[in-house]
């Protein structure tokens, strides 16, 4: 090497050493929080690295220069310019580690300045790079921040996924207790209260082992938050006071303020208003001193609640407005929803209805926006339950202002959104997930298989009826308490797996129909309803029951409201009596009882309907889903004698069902319209296998009786097959019996437009997704297996007839979501269902089913009108209401 080269290398070494020394000095100043001095030092280091042409070192210095400028309070745009240049240099130098560091710092700056979307994007990039580098610290920091930001925007499911990923990771966490606590916060926000409490208690125990008083305070206080949501205020107060003591012991001033605020909020609920106000004002002062905008807004909202409870509404309004302004300044969407709701309610109490309507409407918009970010079906449902009071308030306000159209639209938004979203998206098929070497994914796949095996074992039926070889009814009573925990754990696992599915990112939240869109259902071009059809929307809360009707050409819906407490109580008693009498064989329901229920629910809204209306499509709510509207009486006769009746979970679902019907008719190799004879008929009469060794439901619950045989299912199936053959379509009909049903029914289900099943069925009111069709060996084809495992699916289906008991019984959540077999079968692709609401007699069912198929195959009747025809014939023949009323049509055909 010549002298010139040696001198050049010496200069490089000297420059590198000088840069290193300058960088170390700058970092020392940064650690001492001497940010202005650190900025000067890093500027010189940047100039030196730039002059030396050392891009990688320049990128590192630019990162710390940007961060130092930010901490020194200098111009934000310059800080961001430094970091963006650092990112570009890291990419040029092919340094993933430096790029990750630059993105992390930039994300934190965006986070702290309220630029949440940009912060999320940078943290997501940092997490991906950290995963590539297997950098545990980077992954933990990114996911922890993402969880926090998602929660601030009300994206609880996404936050939940972040915290679950952290907990499932094999890497050791710096603060596992804090992550568990954050997981509990997500579960609470999603309405999963028991799961949230379990998460907080687990986190508390882990923090206690570490002696971490601050985390212990957070966990026990967070449990208090859940108990508060559950309206267990005395227990919540105990938790908050314990949390406050721990916060004081740990010197955590921020948490001291938080728990003081929560104690104050709880004291409001306990009507201890003066104590509450003192606590809340102290909490707000702490937040103001600490410049904690988020907490200060929350405390101001609570002070507003306290003032409202005292009747000082004008002062309360000022506090709510200040809280809303603060939440908007930091883009806190979750807080905005709460404070808008508070403002709407206080304006309503002040008698200022239009501002109240505006604020509550904005709160509903944010609630729907947040619900739209949730993709998992059961989480969407539990979150929807949390919005029940908000929707109730805005509907009540609409009606008090005479806004009938808006009331109908908000009711539509409140009901069955999870089902609507489910049907509007591509299916998530977990079998499509490949094992790509991701250890956490592999563990989830194995866990889902293990839990599914447990469920397959638990999916057995307990028959609690008369023993013997013959049965006169098609049903079983199912005790499902032991399955609830394993189903919940399985659903959580499935939801985690779904997030790894390629379809998951493209899931959308379906839009409900506004009034103009509802009117278009009757349009001459593209309409799906005939002019003789009337839509009925029912909505029930603790305070009132609303019936609304709309028909072709209506400019606004007809409305009937029952708000008088005594009238509501009388109606509830009448409905309970009706259901008890109608579901008991041998009892006859008095017509006077049917008339009273008709008068309360439908008479008023149908008074002004055109005389040409002879079809009702009803969207019930709550317990009204269990009511056979065909058996209501209007003085002239039963409702089914005057109207063709159909049920839908939500009026918005009409367009989804119509779209599915149109898609099926356009599929290749489908029969022409009117070809109704391609039948798959399944009948199970022999349940002897269930009686040989008894049935096992769990390790503590078993039955030695098994299931009784059904005498008339084969006769019913053969008569329907003969009916098809008599019309020259026998080759298009397939009959399956007993064991054969389990072997091939799921595979053949998607090949036939019309499917008929006759056998036992079960409804599990504790775990409704465990409801299903009972096969010959006692296993159950459950709603859960149809929804999550795609056990049944069809693209050509037009009609499914379930000639079994309680197939139409569904659990309806507080948020209006329908859970059970009907939900699953619509998802499987069947746009029309014939179902039953209670146990049905074997003999009479067989006769009714044959009559139904005769009418429908005549091609003169629609599905709904064929059911009506056979029910009218039963009435004329003198059959009891118990025998003909439980059969209902779900769909629009």
């Amino acid at each position: 090497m010549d002298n010139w080269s040696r001198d050049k290398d010496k200069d490089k070494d000297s420059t590198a050493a000088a840069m290193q020394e300058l960088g170390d000095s700058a970092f020392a100043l940064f650690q001492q929080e001497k940010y202005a001095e650190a900025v000067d030092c890093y500027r010189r280091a940047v100039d030196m690295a730039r002059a030396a042409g050392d891009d990688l070192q320049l990128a590192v210095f630019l990162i710390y220069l940007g961060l130092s400028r930010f901490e020194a309070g200098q111009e934000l745009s310059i800080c961001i310019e430094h970091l963006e240049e650092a990112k570009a240099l890291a990419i040029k130098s092919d340094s993933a580690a430096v790029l990750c560091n630059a993105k992390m710092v930039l994300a934190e700056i965006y986070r702290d300045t309220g630029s949440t979307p940009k912060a999320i994007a940078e943290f997501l990039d940092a997490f991906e790079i950290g995963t590539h580098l297997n950098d545990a610290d980077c992954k933990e920091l990114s996911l922890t921040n993402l969880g926090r930001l998602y929660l601030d925007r009300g994206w609880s499911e996404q936050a939940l996924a972040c915290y679950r990923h952290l907990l499932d990771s094999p890497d050791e966490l710096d603060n596992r207790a804090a992550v568990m606590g954050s997981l509990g916060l997500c579960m609470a926000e999603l309405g999963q209260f028991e799961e949230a409490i379990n998460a907080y208690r687990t986190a508390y125990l882990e923090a206690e082992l570490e002696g971490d008083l601050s985390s212990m305070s957070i966990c026990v206080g967070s449990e208090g938050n859940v108990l508060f949501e559950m309206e267990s205020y005395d227990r919540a107060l105990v938790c908050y006071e314990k949390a406050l003591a721990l916060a004081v012991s740990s010197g955590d001033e921020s948490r001291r303020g938080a728990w003081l605020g929560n104690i104050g909020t709880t004291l409001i609920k306990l009507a201890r208003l003066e104590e509450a106000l003192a606590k809340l004002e102290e909490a707000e002062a702490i937040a103001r001193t600490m410049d904690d905008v988020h907490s200060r807004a929350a405390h101001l909202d609570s002070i507003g609640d306290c003032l409202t409870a005292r009747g000082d509404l004008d002062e309360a309004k000022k506090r709510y407005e200040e809280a809303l302004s603060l939440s908007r300044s930091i883009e806190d969407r979750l807080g905005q929803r709460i404070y808008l709701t508070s403002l709407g309610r206080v304006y309503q109490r002040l008698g200022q209805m239009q501002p109240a309507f505006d604020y509550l409407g904005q709160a509903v918009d944010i609630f729907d926006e947040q619900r739209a970010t949730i993709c998992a079906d059961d989480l969407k449902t539990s979150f929807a339950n949390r919005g029940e009071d908000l929707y109730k308030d805005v509907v009540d306000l609409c009606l008090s202002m005479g806004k009938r159209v808006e009331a109908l639209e908000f009711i539509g938004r409140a009901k069955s959104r999870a089902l609507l979203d489910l049907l509007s998206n591509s299916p998530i098929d977990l079998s499509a997930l490949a094992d790509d070497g991701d250890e956490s994914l592999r563990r989830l796949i194995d866990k889902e298989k293990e839990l599914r095996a447990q469920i397959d074992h638990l999916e057995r039926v307990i028959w609690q009826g008369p023993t013997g070889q013959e049965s006169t009814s098609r049903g079983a009573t199912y005790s499902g308490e032991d399955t609830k925990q394993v189903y919940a754990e399985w659903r959580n696992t499935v939801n985690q797996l779904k997030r790894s599915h390629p379809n998951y990112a493209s899931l959308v939240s379906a839009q409900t129909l506004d009034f103009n869109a509802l009117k278009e259902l009757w349009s001459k071009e593209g309409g799906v309803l005939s002019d003789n059809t009337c839509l009925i929307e029912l909505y029930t809360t603790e305070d009132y029951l609303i019936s609304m009707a709309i028909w072709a050409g209506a400019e606004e819906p007809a409305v009937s409201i029952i708000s008088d407490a005594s009238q509501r109580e009388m109606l509830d008693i009448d409905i309970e009596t009706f259901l008890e009498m109608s579901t008991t064989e041998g009892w006859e329901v008095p017509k006077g009882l049917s008339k009273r229920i008709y008068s309360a629910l439908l008479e008023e809204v149908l008074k002004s309907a055109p005389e040409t209306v002879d079809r009702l499509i009803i969207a019930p709510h709550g317990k009204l889903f269990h009511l056979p509207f065909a058996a209501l009486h209007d003085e002239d006769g039963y409702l089914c004698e005057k109207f063709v009746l159909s049920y839908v979970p939500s009026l918005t679902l009409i367009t989804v069902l119509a779209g599915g019907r149109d898609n099926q008719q356009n599929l290749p190799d489908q029969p022409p319209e009117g070809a109704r004879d391609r039948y798959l008929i399944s009948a199970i009469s022999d349940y002897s296998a269930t009686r040989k060794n008894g049935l096992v439901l769990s390790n503590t619950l078993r039955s030695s009786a098994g299931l009784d045989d059904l005498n008339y299912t084969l006769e019913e199936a053969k008569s329907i097959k003969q009916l098809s053959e008599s019309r020259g379509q026998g080759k298009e009909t397939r009959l399956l019996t007993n064991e054969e049903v389990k072997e091939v029914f799921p595979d053949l289900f998607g090949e036939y437009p019309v499917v008929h099943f006759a056998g036992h069925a079960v409804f599990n009111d504790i775990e409704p997704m465990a409801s299903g069709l009972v096969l010959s060996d006692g296993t159950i084809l459950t709603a859960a297996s149809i929804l999550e495992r795609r056990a049944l699916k069809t693209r050509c289906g037009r009609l499914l007839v379930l000639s079994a008991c309680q197939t139409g019984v569904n659990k309806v959540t507080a948020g209006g979501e329908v859970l059970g077999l009907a939900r699953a079968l619509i998802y499987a692709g069947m746009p029309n269902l014939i179902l039953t609401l209670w146990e049905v007699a074997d003999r009479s069912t067989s006769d009714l089913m044959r009559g139904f198929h005769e009418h429908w195959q005549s091609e003169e009747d629609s599905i709904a009108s064929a059911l009506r025809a056979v029910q009218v014939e039963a009435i004329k023949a003198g059959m009891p209401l118990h025998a003909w009323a439980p059969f209902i049509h779900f769909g629009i055909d």
Side-chain angles (χ1 to χ4, degrees):
M1 181 180 293
D2 56 32
N3 291 334
W4 182 85
S5 298
R6 281 195 295 270
D7 290 343
K8 185 176 180 181
D9 287 342
K10 287 180 182 178
D11 289 341
K12 284 185 178 179
D13 292 342
S14 175
T15 300
M19 283 194 298
Q20 184 64 47
E21 183 179 353
L22 196 55
D24 290 344
S25 298
F27 188 67
L29 291 167
F30 182 87
Q31 288 184 310
Q32 296 168 29
E33 299 183 6
K34 297 178 179 179
Y35 300 121
E37 296 175 49
V39 167
D40 291 337
C41 205
Y42 275 125
R43 285 176 62 184
R44 295 199 302 274
V46 163
D47 291 340
M48 189 177 294
R50 201 183 297 278
D54 189 339
D55 288 342
L56 191 57
Q57 191 63 62
L58 175 59
V60 173
F61 289 151
L62 282 168
I63 291 170
Y64 283 101
L65 176 59
L67 182 57
S68 299
R69 283 187 182 278
F70 178 73
E71 295 293 349
Q74 296 183 10
E75 188 174 342
L76 180 61
S77 62
I78 297 177
C79 305
I80 293 173
E81 283 179 16
H82 290 326
L83 289 161
E84 290 292 350
E85 184 182 359
K87 285 164 55 179
L89 289 167
I91 293 171
K92 179 181 177 183
S93 304
D94 197 24
S95 175
V98 173
L99 178 62
C100 184
N101 192 19
K103 282 183 169 292
M104 190 73 73
V105 171
L106 186 56
E108 290 174 345
I109 289 175
Y110 280 138
R111 178 199 65 196
D112 293 343
T113 55
S115 298
T116 303
K118 293 180 180 179
I120 289 173
E122 296 293 346
F123 277 127
L124 283 170
D125 287 348
F127 172 70
E128 289 184 8
I129 298 170
T131 301
H132 173 72
L133 296 173
N134 198 24
D135 185 335
D137 291 339
C138 175
K139 290 190 290 183
E140 180 178 348
L141 188 58
S142 299
L143 286 175
T144 301
N145 276 283
L146 282 168
R148 170 186 164 187
L149 291 168
Y150 286 147
L151 273 175
D152 284 346
R153 293 187 71 81
W155 299 355
S156 304
E157 189 193 16
Q158 286 82 345
L160 179 70
C162 291
Y163 296 127
R164 283 200 184 282
H165 192 101
L166 283 168
L167 292 169
D168 290 339
S169 170
D171 301 321
E172 185 174 343
L173 299 175
D174 286 342
N175 194 337
R176 186 176 177 85
V179 175
M180 283 295 301
S182 298
L183 180 73
L185 181 59
C186 296
M187 300 305 295
E189 178 58 23
L190 288 164
Q192 307 273 302
F193 296 133
E194 294 298 333
E195 293 86 345
I197 287 176
N198 291 336
Y200 289 137
R201 289 179 177 174
T202 302
Y204 181 88
L205 292 174
E206 294 198 13
E208 190 174 35
L209 288 173
E210 298 292 329
D212 184 348
L213 297 180
S214 180
S215 293
M216 289 166 63
S217 171
I218 293 170
C219 294
V220 72
S222 298
E223 181 179 341
N225 292 342
V226 178
L227 292 169
F228 184 92
E229 291 276 0
M230 296 171 69
E231 300 183 359
S232 183
Y233 301 123
D234 288 317
R235 292 171 61 198
L237 187 60
V238 171
C239 287
Y240 290 144
E241 288 174 340
K242 183 177 179 181
L244 177 62
L246 287 166
V248 171
S249 299
S250 65
D252 189 339
E253 188 70 0
S254 174
R255 289 295 164 188
R256 183 173 81 87
W259 305 136
L260 278 169
N262 288 7
I263 288 171
T265 303
T266 310
L267 290 171
I268 295 173
K269 295 295 184 180
L270 296 172
R272 294 159 59 178
L273 299 181
E274 296 307 319
E275 296 174 70
L277 189 58
K279 298 288 186 185
L280 290 168
E281 288 178 340
E282 183 180 357
E284 194 269 335
I286 292 172
R288 192 178 341 110
T289 299
M290 300 187 70
D291 197 25
D292 184 347
V293 178
H294 190 283
S295 296
R296 189 176 170 215
H299 297 322
L300 285 166
D301 181 70
S302 298
I303 291 172
D305 290 344
C306 190
L307 293 169
T308 298
R310 280 178 27 173
D312 195 347
L313 301 182
D314 287 318
E315 284 300 315
K317 179 165 66 72
K318 292 178 183 177
R319 301 301 193 281
Y320 293 142
E321 287 171 342
E322 189 175 358
L324 178 61
S325 176
L326 289 171
S327 68
R328 283 174 169 163
S329 73
I330 57 172
E331 296 189 36
D332 177 10
R333 297 292 282 171
L334 180 60
Q336 288 173 48
R337 186 189 88 207
I338 295 169
Y339 312 143
L340 285 165
T341 303
S342 298
L343 273 168
R345 287 169 177 164
V346 78
Y347 270 108
Q348 187 173 10
R349 290 189 59 175
L350 286 166
Q352 300 178 40
M353 298 306 183
Q354 189 57 49
F357 176 76
D358 293 340
Y359 282 122
L360 288 176
Q362 291 176 58
V364 169
D365 289 343
I366 294 177
F367 182 83
D368 281 350
E369 168 196 305
Q370 292 167 349
R371 179 162 57 178
T373 67
I374 301 170
C375 296
D377 185 35
D378 60 321
L379 297 183
K380 190 181 288 284
T381 296
S382 61
F383 183 75
N385 294 345
R386 304 200 70 201
E388 182 190 13
D389 286 342
L390 175 57
Y391 278 112
K392 179 180 75 68
D393 287 347
V394 75
V395 170
D396 185 30
L397 182 60
C398 286
L399 293 171
S400 69
M401 298 173 69
K403 294 179 177 287
R404 294 184 173 190
V405 169
E406 289 83 353
L408 181 62
E409 291 175 345
F410 279 115
I411 288 172
R413 291 168 68 174
K415 293 170 62 177
S416 295
R417 282 298 297 273
L419 176 57
L420 181 61
D421 290 346
L422 188 71
L423 298 175
S424 300
N425 284 287
S426 301
I428 298 290
D429 185 355
L430 296 183
S431 64
L433 287 173
D435 184 355
D436 60 359
D438 186 326
E439 182 62 31
S440 61
L441 178 61
R442 186 182 300 116
R443 283 200 304 272
L444 281 174
I445 292 172
D446 292 342
K447 184 177 180 181
E448 192 274 336
K449 289 179 180 176
E450 179 185 342
L451 289 168
R452 180 157 27 102
Q454 291 183 45
I455 289 173
D456 288 341
H457 175 68
L458 291 173
E459 286 173 354
R460 296 293 187 271
V461 179
I462 300 286
W463 175 243
Q464 297 175 338
T467 59
Q469 299 303 307
E470 297 183 357
S471 174
T472 59
S473 63
R474 303 180 184 185
T477 302
Y478 190 57
S479 177
E481 289 191 46
D482 288 1
T483 67
K484 188 174 183 180
Q485 184 173 354
V486 69
Y487 263 94
E489 188 176 356
W490 176 67
R491 275 197 306 270
N492 285 334
T493 304
V494 165
N495 286 335
Q496 292 178 70
L497 282 170
K498 281 183 176 180
R499 296 183 188 100
S500 302
H501 194 282
N503 280 354
Y504 196 81
S506 63
L507 292 183
V508 299
S509 183
Q511 295 299 309
T512 55
L513 301 182
D514 60 21
F515 188 70
N516 287 330
L518 282 174
K519 291 197 295 183
E520 285 298 311
L521 295 175
W522 287 276
S523 69
K524 300 301 180 185
E525 296 182 6
V528 299
L529 300 179
S530 59
D531 287 349
N532 64 335
T533 300
C534 174
L535 303 180
I536 304 287
E537 182 85 76
L538 297 160
Y539 187 64
T540 179
T541 73
E542 292 181 356
D543 300 322
Y544 54 77
L545 184 147
I546 302 173
S547 304
M548 308 185 87
I550 176 177
W551 46 82
E555 290 304 317
E556 66 175 12
V559 178
S560 172
I561 307 170
I562 302 176
S563 56
D564 181 78
S566 60
Q567 287 182 301
R568 281 294 312 280
E569 183 180 4
M570 181 59 68
L571 177 59
D572 287 342
I573 292 171
D574 279 347
I575 291 174
E576 289 174 11
T577 304
F578 180 97
L579 292 175
E580 181 179 0
M581 297 184 75
S582 61
T583 57
T584 305
E585 191 170 5
W587 286 19
E588 189 58 41
V589 178
K591 288 184 179 177
L593 182 57
S594 296
K595 291 175 183 176
R596 288 202 302 273
I597 297 174
Y598 169 80
S599 177
L601 295 179
L602 299 177
E603 183 177 31
E604 186 66 30
V605 294
L606 289 178
K607 274 183 180 178
S608 50
E611 293 184 1
T612 54
V613 166
D614 60 9
R615 172 129 195 247
L616 303 180
I617 297 179
I618 303 172
H621 191 229
K623 69 176 66 175
L624 298 179
F625 268 103
H626 302 160
L627 187 66
F629 284 84
L632 302 187
H633 204 285
D634 70 348
E635 297 288 349
D636 296 326
Y638 288 108
L639 213 59
C640 65
E641 294 182 279
K642 184 175 182 180
F643 298 103
V644 175
L645 299 166
S646 299
Y647 290 57
V648 290
S650 165
L651 295 185
T652 294
L653 200 63
I654 292 173
T655 55
V656 178
L657 295 174
R661 177 184 62 192
D662 294 341
N663 290 337
Q664 289 156 7
Q665 291 173 355
N666 292 329
L667 286 173
D669 302 323
Q670 291 306 304
E673 180 66 22
R676 307 178 178 199
D677 303 286
R678 295 184 62 231
Y679 272 68
L680 175 63
I681 306 169
S682 301
I684 303 176
S685 61
D686 182 4
Y687 285 93
S688 60
T690 70
R691 300 191 296 273
K692 290 179 180 177
N693 300 310
L695 292 176
V696 177
L697 181 67
S698 71
N699 58 355
T700 60
L701 194 57
R702 57 182 66 232
S703 167
S704 60
L707 289 170
D708 290 331
D709 293 340
L710 294 170
N711 286 340
Y712 296 102
T713 53
L714 283 181
E715 178 183 322
E716 174 185 323
K718 289 176 180 177
S719 69
I720 296 169
K721 186 173 188 293
Q722 289 169 0
L723 180 64
S724 177
E725 290 172 341
S726 70
R727 297 179 181 276
Q729 296 291 332
K731 64 181 180 180
E732 300 287 351
T733 299
R734 177 76 180 269
L735 174 61
L736 308 175
T737 61
N738 297 318
E739 293 87 353
E740 192 180 13
V741 177
K742 182 176 182 179
E743 293 170 2
V744 298
F745 178 74
D747 294 330
L748 295 178
F749 180 83
E751 298 180 14
Y752 290 82
V754 185
V755 180
H756 183 102
F757 176 91
H760 279 302
V762 63
F763 175 66
N764 184 332
D765 63 340
I766 296 173
E767 183 55 59
M769 298 313 290
S771 306
L773 307 177
V774 187
L775 305 179
S776 59
D777 63 352
T779 58
I780 310 171
L781 185 59
T782 63
S785 66
I786 297 169
L787 273 172
E788 303 294 0
R789 292 189 246 155
R790 305 284 286 161
L792 297 178
K793 52 187 174 181
T794 180
R795 293 184 66 217
C796 70
R798 183 170 181 192
L799 169 65
L800 173 61
V801 179
L802 295 183
S803 181
C805 87
Q806 290 189 305
T807 50
V809 177
N810 296 276
K811 183 175 182 179
V812 183
T813 70
E817 294 296 345
V818 179
L819 305 176
L821 193 56
R823 173 196 191 96
L825 292 170
I826 293 173
Y827 178 64
M830 278 296 181
N832 292 281
L833 310 172
I834 299 294
L835 308 170
T836 56
L837 294 174
W838 56 73
E839 284 192 16
V840 290
D842 195 15
R843 171 79 264 181
S844 60
T845 296
S846 179
D847 294 338
L848 280 164
M849 287 296 97
R850 177 181 173 84
F852 164 76
H853 286 288
E854 285 179 343
H855 280 283
W856 189 50
Q857 287 200 12
S858 72
E859 301 190 9
E860 296 178 1
D861 291 318
S862 66
I863 294 170
S865 59
L867 179 61
R868 173 194 178 234
V870 76
Q871 288 179 319
V872 171
E873 288 173 359
I875 294 169
K876 291 178 178 178
M879 290 180 65
L881 183 150
H882 173 86
W884 59 263
F887 296 93
I888 62 171
H889 170 234
F890 244 84
I892 63 170
D893 286 352

